[in-house]
C-alpha cells in the first residue's frame, strides 16, 4: 500500500499548500487517527486525517484554477481565524482554494488560487524561472543608475537578487519582470537604493495576464492551463 507524507496529503486534498500544512502540523492542529503526528509522518489510505477536528478527504471533484485581481489591503493567507481581511473570506469561493504564493497587503494585482497542490509546488519553485511582471511607482524621479542597479542585482535578505528586466515607463513609474520571489523583494530592492514604493501592481504570472477588475476573479482557460503545464513540465515532484 502506497504511503504519502501528511503534508503532501493535505496539499493534494486541496486543503492548503505544503508549507502551510507543515505549519499546521507544527501547531498540533493536525491529527492522524486521533494522534498528533511529527513533521514528515507518512500515512496510508486507511488513516483518518483531521485538521482542527474536521476530517480531510481527498476531493473527488475537478480542480479549480482562478485568476484574481487582489485589492490593496487584502492579506494572502488561508488562516481565516487570524486575518479579518484575508483572501479566502474576501473571495468567498464555494470550494476551498488557496493562493499560489503571496502578494503583500499594500500591493495589488494578479494572484492565482487553486485546490491543486501539485501545481502549487511546481510553480512556487524559484529555480523554475517562472516570470512575474509588475508595474511599480516610486516616490522620486527614476534615474539611469537606479534602472541599471535594479537590473543587475542588489544585496537583500543575505543574497544577491537575480538579474532581471527593468523598463522605465514614466518619471516615477517602471516595469519589472522577476524570476524569483523573495519576501517583499521589489520594495526591499527599491529601499536599498533609497526609493520608496508608492504603488505596486502585479500584472502577469507566467502566461496569465491580469484582465479582470479589482476584486474580481475568473477561471483559467483550458489553453492557459495547457501552457502553464508546459512551462512547469520540467519541475520536479517531491514526496
Amino acid at each position: 500500500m502506497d504511503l504519502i507524507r501528511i503534508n503532501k496529503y493535505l496539499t493534494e486534498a486541496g486543503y492548503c499548500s505544503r508549507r502551510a500544512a507543515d505549519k499546521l502540523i507544527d501547531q498540533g492542529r493536525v491529527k492522524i487517527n486521533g494522534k498528533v503526528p511529527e513533521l514528515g509522518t507518512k500515512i496510508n489510505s486507511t488513516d483518518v486525517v483531521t485538521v482542527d477536528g474536521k476530517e480531510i478527504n481527498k476531493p473527488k471533484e475537478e480542480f479549480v484554477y482562478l485568476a484574481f485581481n487582489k485589492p490593496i489591503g487584502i492579506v494572502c493567507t488561508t488562516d481565516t481565524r487570524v486575518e479579518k481581511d484575508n483572501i479566502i473570506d474576501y473571495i468567498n469561493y464555494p470550494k476551498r482554494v488557496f493562493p499560489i504564493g503571496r502578494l503583500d497587503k499594500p500591493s495589488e494585482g494578479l494572484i492565482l488560487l487553486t485546490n491543486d497542490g501539485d501545481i502549487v509546488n511546481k510553480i512556487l519553485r524559484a529555480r523554475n524561472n517562472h516570470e512575474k511582471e509588475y508595474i511599480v511607482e516610486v516616490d522620486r524621479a527614476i534615474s539611469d543608475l537606479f534602472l541599471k542597479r535594479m537590473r543587475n542585482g542588489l544585496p537583500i535578505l543575505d543574497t544577491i537578487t537575480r538579474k532581471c528586466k527593468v523598463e522605465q515607463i514614466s518619471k516615477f513609474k517602471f516595469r519589472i519582470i522577476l524570476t524569483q520571489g523573495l519576501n517583499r523583494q521589489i520594495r526591499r530592492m527599491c529601499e536599498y537604493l533609497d526609493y520608496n514604493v508608492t504603488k505596486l501592481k502585479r500584472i502577469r504570472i507566467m502566461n496569465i495576464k491580469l484582465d479582470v477588475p479589482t476584486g474580481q476573479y475568473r477561471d483559467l482557460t483550458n489553453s492557459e492551463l495547457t501552457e502553464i503545464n508546459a512551462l512547469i513540465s520540467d519541475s520536479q515532484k517531491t514526496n
Side-chain angles (χ1 to χ4, degrees):
M1 190 173 294
D2 290 339
L3 295 177
I4 182 175
R5 290 183 188 274
I6 181 63
N7 60 356
K8 186 178 182 185
Y9 177 88
L10 289 170
T11 298
E12 292 184 352
Y15 190 83
C16 60
S17 68
R18 201 171 298 187
R19 188 179 303 169
D22 285 339
K23 188 177 294 186
L24 290 172
I25 295 164
D26 192 51
Q27 292 170 346
R29 294 168 59 187
V30 177
K31 290 185 179 180
I32 302 172
N33 303 325
K35 296 181 180 180
V36 177
E38 297 179 354
L39 287 173
T41 297
K42 292 185 176 181
I43 62 171
N44 62 41
S45 59
T46 63
D47 290 320
V48 176
V49 178
T50 60
V51 178
D52 297 331
K54 182 180 178 182
E55 188 171 341
I56 307 301
N57 296 308
K58 286 192 178 182
K60 296 180 176 63
E61 56 210 346
E62 292 185 0
F63 288 125
V64 173
Y65 306 93
L66 305 176
F68 173 55
N69 188 346
K70 185 190 90 67
I72 294 170
I74 298 301
V75 184
C76 294
T77 179
T78 56
D79 194 343
T80 56
R81 305 177 311 161
V82 176
E83 292 285 356
K84 177 169 65 74
D85 298 320
N86 66 81
I87 193 169
I88 303 304
D89 285 343
Y90 185 92
I91 290 182
N92 196 27
Y93 195 75
K95 297 179 182 178
R96 184 179 179 88
V97 293
F98 47 90
I100 303 177
R102 295 181 60 85
L103 196 55
D104 291 340
K105 186 175 183 178
S107 302
E108 60 183 316
L110 180 63
I111 187 160
L112 306 180
L113 295 102
T114 186
N115 55 359
D116 179 355
D118 188 46
I119 203 169
V120 174
N121 293 319
K122 288 181 177 180
I123 290 175
L124 288 183
R125 290 200 188 90
R127 64 174 176 269
N128 293 320
N129 299 318
H130 305 317
E131 288 188 347
K132 289 167 291 189
E133 183 174 347
Y134 304 80
I135 302 295
V136 186
E137 294 183 30
V138 288
D139 61 345
R140 61 192 185 95
I142 295 168
S143 67
D144 289 340
L145 180 59
F146 171 85
L147 296 171
K148 180 179 179 181
R149 297 193 70 186
M150 289 287 285
R151 290 182 186 119
N152 289 327
L154 293 168
I156 63 169
L157 298 173
D158 300 321
T159 189
I160 304 294
T161 58
R162 287 182 189 163
K163 289 187 177 183
C164 60
K165 301 173 185 176
V166 183
E167 171 193 4
Q168 186 168 357
I169 297 173
S170 64
K171 186 175 181 180
F172 299 98
K173 186 185 295 187
F174 66 94
R175 178 193 316 272
I176 183 169
I177 300 175
L178 300 180
T179 56
Q180 64 186 141
L182 301 176
N183 181 254
R184 298 180 70 251
Q185 180 171 344
I186 296 171
R187 295 180 188 276
R188 292 179 191 274
M189 290 170 73
C190 290
E191 287 165 5
Y192 184 84
L193 299 174
D194 295 323
Y195 284 74
N196 290 309
V197 171
T198 58
K199 188 174 182 179
L200 192 156
K201 187 172 189 174
R202 184 157 63 197
I203 61 170
R204 180 173 64 88
I205 299 173
M206 294 187 291
N207 59 308
I208 310 300
K209 295 180 180 178
L210 182 65
D211 58 2
V212 292
T214 301
Q216 295 188 27
Y217 62 82
R218 67 168 175 84
D219 291 300
L220 298 190
T221 65
N222 288 334
S223 60
E224 285 173 332
L225 283 170
T226 298
E227 190 170 348
I228 284 180
N229 283 314
L231 290 168
I232 64 176
S233 61
D234 62 341
S235 299
Q236 296 294 314
K237 292 180 74 171
T238 55
N239 294 323

